[in-house]
Amino acid sequence: MSLRQPAGDPAEPTPAFRRRFRMFGWAATLLFTALSLAYLVVTPTLYAADEFFHYDRVLAAEHGQVFVTPGDFHVSVGAARVKAIVSADEVILGRTTLATSEAPDRSTRDSFDELGGNSRPATGPLNYMAQHPPLYYTLMGSALRVIPGSDSMPGDVEILVLRLLNLLLLIPLPWLSLLTARCLLGSGPVVFACAFLPLLVPGVLRGAVTINNDNLSILIGAVAALCVAKIIRGHDGWKLAAVCAVTCVAASLTKGTVLVLMAAIPGAYVLQAVRTRRLPGAAVIATLSAGALASTAWWIANKIRYGKFSPDAIDPSAFSRYRLPGEPVDMGAFIYKATVVMPARFWGSLGVLEPPAPPYVLTTVLTLAVAAAFVVALRVKRVRIIVLIFAAQLVVFGLSVLYTSWSAYQVTVGISGLQGRYFYPALFSVVFPSIVAVGNLLRRRPRLVVPVVLLVGLILDAWFLLIMFRYLYLIDGSESITTRLETAVRQMLDYAPLPPAGTICLISMGALMGIAGLGMTAKACIRRPKVAAVPE
């Protein structure tokens, strides 16, 4: 088949296919939003790794400080005082339960402006998010700026608004997964099951409702996966090249780690050229070259200005002491963190293992299952090449993460940079082979593919939500479970940014979305045509 004719999209999709395609897309979006809102309600204000520093950097961008100097960018007075009030110095990631503490009274939760605003004295602590490119902070700061009176809201309410804006960034994720799968497979249960792909990694949903530049990276990574799928299936126009170029520039201006994943785009074009025995057109090459050149601008500017592509925003010894001359590294500790802790962080936590670490047995089994799924997916001819590309992408990216962390480990005694969330922009690459494997294993019962994938996602998300809720709010004691649950729910409502009535409305909204999503999924699954789960 010539690659000039896109093979991934049905030439003339039937009305029934289009109807079910839309139903699964909206159903997955509703469920993704509902579960994310559940994580939003359970996660206390600023209770996520580095969330406070991302929040402070967003506020700086809102007030015009978009380009900041690493090592000379201090935390604002207003943000620091907001943090002191909403957390009451009680929230310590991974080590603090709120079950027995007293939530700050709402009358004391003053606004950012009331607490000192964007004043940044040189004597204040450094914000170590200053080394990141500015795109995410510019988007969030601009959105905050157009919201009337945002800086006059209670500090925790303003943080809630920013969390909801982060959720808006990732609401397209189910649709992007669905479109990418359709491009690769055309039709069938596996395509529809991919709409629910984001639900299979609880950490993504949890991170979606925190202030974190990873959320924009995830969106960019999902767009890049769709671009790669289209390239592999033969799309070779300049418009797609322009989207690829813009995607790479956006990645460059968001986070350095995600830029490594963009190498899959030129790799896909090289593969296309090899298979078709012709180079892309001049317009495509020119567009891609311009995008590649623009993607280097931020990092070259850093090299010229600071002598490093990614300058340190804070001295590394602030986190762990420098290694003494001749002091050996603990290779066993590094291997353990890379093979056990980092996968656990991928599945269920944002940055550090809080609160608390998901069971290592569970996360290890999930990781091994994903690895096995790659092997099973390679049996499906139609996706063999794309699975190999995804595998190569993940291997190269993983090696770059390990190398960066190992290099830093030679200098300080702390092991840093092994964050599972770094892989979230490659979410489709990680999880898609698993859904293909499920479709291959259920090829005699294709009707079960979507329900099985959705059920696994719901179980994982419910499990991790319960872990968080129990750890944060549930008191261990001799009282009845009913009494303890009532106390836990009351404690959660007290710590929430909104008054209890507002939080209950948010919970109700999420519940209605979840019910609607399940109903639409059930309706779309009924009376499905008998087709193979995965096209040969």
Side-chain angles (χ1 to χ4, degrees), residues 400-434:
S400 70
V401 170
L402 291 173
Y403 174 78
T404 303
S405 178
W406 178 256
S407 299
Y409 191 39
Q410 309 302 303
V411 178
T412 62
V413 297
I415 303 174
S416 62
L418 295 181
Q419 309 293 0
R421 70 180 188 272
Y422 290 169
F423 288 84
Y424 288 170
L427 181 67
F428 191 88
S429 304
V430 175
V431 183
F432 173 71
S434 298

Side-chain angles (χ1 to χ4, degrees), residues 281-306:
V284 171
I285 294 177
T287 303
L288 293 174
S289 299
L293 184 63
S295 297
T296 64
W298 173 263
W299 308 99
I300 291 176
N302 278 347
K303 182 68 173 178
I304 294 172
R305 187 175 180 184
Y306 305 111

Side-chain angles (χ1 to χ4, degrees), residues 191-216:
V191 173
F192 299 133
C194 282
F196 304 98
L197 182 151
L199 307 186
L200 295 173
V201 183
V204 171
L205 280 75
R206 182 184 172 201
V209 289
T210 63
I211 306 169
N212 195 299
N213 62 352
D214 288 309
N215 291 325
L216 182 56

